[in-house]
Amino acid sequence: MHSGERGSESFGALLRFFRERAGITQEALGTHVQYSKSQVAMVERGERPPRGKLVEIADEVLGAQGALLLLAEKEFRESGLRPWTEDYLAEERQAAALHVYQSHVIPGSLQTEAYARAIYNCHCPALDDEEIERRVAARLARQELFQRKPTPVISYVLEQSTLTRPLGGNAALKQQLGHILGTGRLRHVQIQVMPHDRQAHAGLNGPMILLETPAHRQLAYVEGPSGGYFVSEQPDLGDLFARYGILRAQALNPDESAKLIEEVAEGL
């Protein structure tokens, strides 16, 4: 929904109008949307786009009756991404460390073009061709992460089922598995597989993404069908990092994982 770091003076002015009409200060609105006063001010001046769930929450809290939602859709629709997705991607682009556990599909930052397109072709409600191409391009751009300097520390734990689900067909899956193997050979990337036969599993609550910012602040990100959110407070944040550490211990090591991925690819 947001395009890069571009703000909108039109959206900012409308946000300020509804906020002042409701008699709410920038600081008070920030409390509702988990922004600082200065961040709200920057949105109102058009210096930054509204990230997270600011638009949805502000529209309700300020009694805008959908006006903020409609203008945000018009002003920030170029990327075709949901606001929570763009908010996460801003953190991923600069992360000093990234750790991902995925249970349903190959993580977005590892996806090939054919695999990503197959996922968006499965989208419900259906996307038009132009929207699919925008989303595929945005997804592929995330792989700049692997060449970025300074080099981030990256790890993945993938359920074995993600390696065998033939989204896009066997040829697309085989290409995808080859891409995973190639990425796993990078010195700063470790890829592990959680096999089907484990009798203990620390990730039953679902996928998670853990990040470390350039300032060495830890964050977790959890996404569901209707939205995503950051976890930054204890004890929940510590619990997620502990859970991921146990997952890595329970999964196959990187060499064993690569061998399993090779075997799956050879069978296609």
Side-chain angles (χ1 to χ4, degrees):
M1 187 171 176
H2 306 301
S3 180
E5 295 298 320
R6 182 181 63 82
S8 165
E9 292 183 3
S10 297
F11 178 83
L14 190 65
L15 176 64
R16 182 172 61 252
F17 167 79
F18 281 113
R19 179 181 60 76
E20 292 177 346
R21 190 186 71 167
I24 295 179
T25 65
Q26 290 177 336
E27 185 175 6
L29 178 59
T31 299
H32 283 288
V33 300
Q34 298 184 338
Y35 271 43
S36 67
K37 177 183 176 180
S38 63
Q39 288 174 319
V40 173
M42 290 173 69
V43 174
E44 291 188 351
R45 292 194 299 267
E47 296 175 357
R48 62 167 287 172
R51 298 198 179 282
K53 293 188 177 182
L54 182 146
V55 178
E56 292 88 342
I57 295 174
D59 192 87
E60 180 179 354
V61 169
L62 303 180
Q65 298 182 314
L68 291 173
L69 293 168
L70 287 172
L71 184 58
E73 178 65 23
K74 178 178 181 295
E75 292 290 291
F76 305 110
R77 66 186 174 188
E78 287 85 353
S79 72
L81 300 175
R82 299 289 184 91
W84 54 82
T85 302
E86 193 64 52
D87 200 28
Y88 163 73
L89 293 179
E91 295 290 348
E92 183 184 87
R93 281 190 289 268
Q94 61 180 352
L98 174 70
H99 307 291
V100 181
Y101 165 61
Q102 181 55 261
S103 59
H104 295 92
V105 296
I106 302 302
S109 52
L110 278 177
Q111 290 175 11
T112 63
E113 181 176 349
Y115 189 92
R117 184 169 285 107
I119 287 179
Y120 286 127
N121 278 329
C122 295
H123 194 278
C124 183
L127 304 172
D128 61 35
D129 290 344
E130 183 179 354
E131 181 67 17
I132 289 174
E133 293 308 312
R134 278 201 299 267
R135 295 195 183 197
V136 169
R139 181 148 293 185
L140 294 178
R142 293 171 62 184
Q143 296 187 25
E144 295 176 2
L145 175 76
F146 300 114
Q147 284 77 45
R148 182 166 55 77
K149 303 295 182 183
T151 304
V153 176
I154 304 172
S155 72
Y156 298 90
V157 176
L158 312 178
E159 287 293 333
Q160 186 175 344
S161 59
T162 66
L163 309 175
T164 57
R165 184 171 293 118
L167 296 177
N170 284 353
L173 178 59
K174 187 167 187 174
Q175 180 190 46
Q176 175 65 72
L177 296 179
H179 178 69
I180 293 173
L181 288 168
T183 304
R185 296 187 189 104
L186 298 173
R187 287 191 296 272
H188 61 293
V189 179
Q190 289 197 324
I191 298 176
Q192 296 176 251
V193 176
M194 175 66 78
H196 292 315
D197 62 2
R198 289 296 190 258
Q199 296 183 15
H201 195 306
L204 298 181
N205 286 347
M208 71 185 90
I209 301 175
L210 310 178
L211 306 103
E212 183 177 321
T213 72
H216 303 293
R217 180 169 63 96
Q218 291 184 328
L219 281 174
Y221 182 75
V222 180
E223 188 172 69
S226 59
Y229 60 92
F230 285 104
V231 178
S232 59
E233 302 296 331
Q234 301 295 350
D236 294 338
L237 180 62
D239 289 346
L240 288 171
F241 271 83
R243 189 179 304 160
Y244 186 78
I246 296 172
L247 270 172
R248 294 194 69 180
Q250 293 170 334
L252 300 175
N253 68 40
D255 289 338
E256 294 168 338
S257 298
K259 182 178 179 181
L260 176 57
I261 295 171
E262 289 171 351
E263 290 173 354
V264 174
E266 289 170 0
L268 294 174

